[in-house]
Amino acid sequence: MPGHDGVAGYCYGEHTADVLVHAWGASAAEAIGQVILATAAMVIDPAAVSPADAVWVYQVAADDWIACMIRSVNEFLYLHDSDGTLVHRVTVDALPACASAPVGVTVRIQGQRLAERSNLAGIRTPAKAATYHLAALSRDPATGRWIARLLLDT
């Protein structure tokens, strides 16, 4: 994103009621990882989460990168809701394309379960869902970085 340093990262944009996430990375998969990290950071700062208590791995397949991003974020929100997933680190790798799903990723989350945390200070309410409204994920020809935009329903 213009004005943002680093190969990968995220920031929040203004929106009337929901949260608009802007993220970027060297690949589409890395940009999706940054969107997931931004979504997780709405609950608690990833630096405050223990890195090695638990690991979650899931795969998502879709017809395009935008659908893959939305499904990946919604799967994380499901994990948070069902298992109390708190994120320290997110790694996303692209899967090889196949006829049934041209786009796919493997998401690996390192962190801890909410139930295993002794101090609940700083825990906030998560987003409800990722939406297609305003969603975008494309490669910037000027910088080569992948730029993502996602609106989270809060």
Side-chain angles (χ1 to χ4, degrees):
M1 301 221 21
H4 297 284
D5 296 328
V7 174
Y10 65 85
C11 66
Y12 301 104
E14 293 185 28
H15 191 271
T16 53
D18 297 321
V19 175
L20 186 61
V21 174
H22 297 278
W24 57 94
S27 66
E30 187 174 40
I32 289 171
Q34 290 299 308
V35 172
I36 295 168
L37 189 62
T39 303
M42 291 173 56
V43 175
I44 188 169
D45 179 358
V49 176
S50 176
D53 286 354
V55 175
W56 295 265
V57 178
Y58 61 91
Q59 291 186 335
V60 174
D63 290 332
D64 59 57
W65 282 115
I66 293 172
C68 189
M69 173 177 65
I70 291 168
R71 288 180 185 171
S72 296
V73 170
N74 283 333
E75 182 66 19
F76 160 71
L77 291 170
Y78 171 78
L79 282 175
H80 174 75
D81 189 48
S82 66
D83 203 25
T85 305
L86 299 176
V87 175
H88 175 75
R89 178 175 299 141
V90 177
T91 306
V92 180
D93 294 309
L95 293 171
C98 65
S100 62
V103 174
V105 293
T106 298
V107 178
R108 178 182 166 91
I109 295 174
Q110 292 174 272
Q112 67 184 142
R113 287 178 176 82
L114 183 61
E116 296 170 357
R117 195 172 167 85
S118 59
N119 181 356
L120 299 180
I123 303 289
R124 298 174 293 276
T125 304
K128 295 175 189 167
T131 69
Y132 277 89
H133 182 64
L134 301 177
L137 180 58
S138 61
R139 188 171 180 274
D140 180 349
T143 64
R145 288 192 292 185
W146 283 78
I147 309 296
R149 180 180 64 225
L150 186 66
L151 187 65
L152 296 169
D153 179 13
T154 56

